[in-house]
Amino acid sequence: MAEQRTVTLAVTGAGGTRMARHVLSALERDDRVAHVDLLVSPNGRKLVAHEFGCAGDADLAATLLGRPSGKVTAWDSETWEGPHTSGSYPSWGMIVVPCSLGTVGRIAQGQSSALIERAADICLKERRPLVLCVRETPFNLIHLRNMSQVTEAGGIVYPMIPTYYNLPETVEQMFEEFTERLLGFVGLDQSDYYTWRAGGSRASVERAASRTARGVEA
């Protein structure tokens, strides 16, 4: 087996924290990932509480996973106590999902006033992968320029935009497909269920057949 990764996953104050649950769950069960460092911003914590119906001081890793896990460590993003403040910490890189455009702006300007922005800055200076799954729309010119600047610095803007060619029928299917595509993009392929090939992906073929059987227009 290839060397296992230590991955940083950050959750910020943009709606869609249920996507973070899917991504964290996939990372946690992947044997190629040794450990996940979970960073949740104060506004991200508020959104987790709102979207999951839990207390604001709940165990975030257990809330997102549905159970505790020794493979995931949650860090207080308001402090500088995490190892992510140093480039010597052997992390593979960082995924921010969902990523607010305010976070993108602070990263673009090098404003490391909290642990998430500092961890992102470390990734850029150490030339490690930094993937920002932005979730706001529409973009104004400031947003676009910040995303351009982050890209020029070596980061990757990977918006939380669902695909439709696989004929998703539920929000959960959209979450699942986005997660598989995201992790495949960073070299952690999950399966070939959503991989396009001649005739369509297995997911689209199965769903088209199911719709036809039900008499639903695809």
Side-chain angles (χ1 to χ4, degrees), residues 156-210:
I156 298 164
V157 177
Y158 196 106
M160 283 174 55
I161 299 174
T163 59
Y164 300 97
Y165 65 81
N166 285 308
L167 308 178
E169 297 180 316
T170 67
V171 174
E172 290 300 310
Q173 288 176 350
M174 287 185 171
F175 287 165
E176 180 184 282
E177 179 182 358
F178 181 88
T179 298
E180 291 212 2
R181 290 171 62 86
L182 171 64
L183 295 188
F185 176 76
V186 300
L188 293 171
D189 298 279
Q190 301 298 296
S191 75
D192 64 354
Y193 187 61
Y194 292 105
T195 302
W196 185 261
R197 57 176 60 81
S201 67
R202 286 196 295 142
S204 59
V205 170
E206 289 178 10
R207 290 170 189 167
S210 174

Side-chain angles (χ1 to χ4, degrees), residues 3-172:
E3 182 179 355
Q4 292 181 304
R5 301 181 181 184
T6 294
V7 178
T8 300
L9 177 67
V11 181
T12 69
T17 59
R18 287 170 61 194
M19 185 68 79
R21 161 181 277 181
H22 282 256
V23 176
L24 179 61
S25 296
L27 290 172
E28 196 269 343
R29 64 174 176 263
D30 196 315
D31 290 338
R32 294 165 293 183
V33 177
H35 191 77
V36 180
D37 290 305
L38 178 64
L39 314 180
V40 184
S41 72
N43 285 332
R45 179 179 283 275
K46 292 177 182 177
L47 279 170
V48 169
H50 172 69
E51 295 182 9
F52 286 86
C54 63
D57 59 353
D59 182 323
L60 292 174
T63 297
L64 291 174
L65 288 172
R67 55 177 174 76
S69 172
K71 194 172 179 177
V72 180
T73 301
W75 297 88
D76 183 354
S77 68
E78 294 188 274
T79 73
W80 286 68
E81 296 178 0
H84 321 82
T85 60
S86 172
S88 65
Y89 182 61
S91 172
W92 162 84
M94 182 175 181
I95 300 171
V96 186
V97 56
C99 183
S100 70
L101 287 170
T103 301
V104 174
R106 288 187 291 277
I107 294 171
Q109 302 304 317
Q111 296 181 13
S112 302
S113 58
L115 187 57
I116 289 177
E117 288 83 2
R118 174 58 179 171
D121 192 49
I122 290 291
C123 287
L124 293 178
K125 83 178 186 68
E126 297 292 329
R127 306 301 190 267
R128 295 170 183 165
L130 172 65
V131 184
L132 307 178
C133 300
V134 299
R135 195 230 48 85
E136 296 177 57
T137 189
F139 303 136
N140 65 35
L141 186 57
I142 294 172
H143 300 152
L144 293 169
R145 285 176 173 166
N146 284 335
M147 287 189 284
S148 176
Q149 189 158 320
V150 165
T151 301
E152 290 172 346
I156 298 164
V157 177
Y158 196 106
M160 283 174 55
I161 299 174
T163 59
Y164 300 97
Y165 65 81
N166 285 308
L167 308 178
E169 297 180 316
T170 67
V171 174
E172 290 300 310

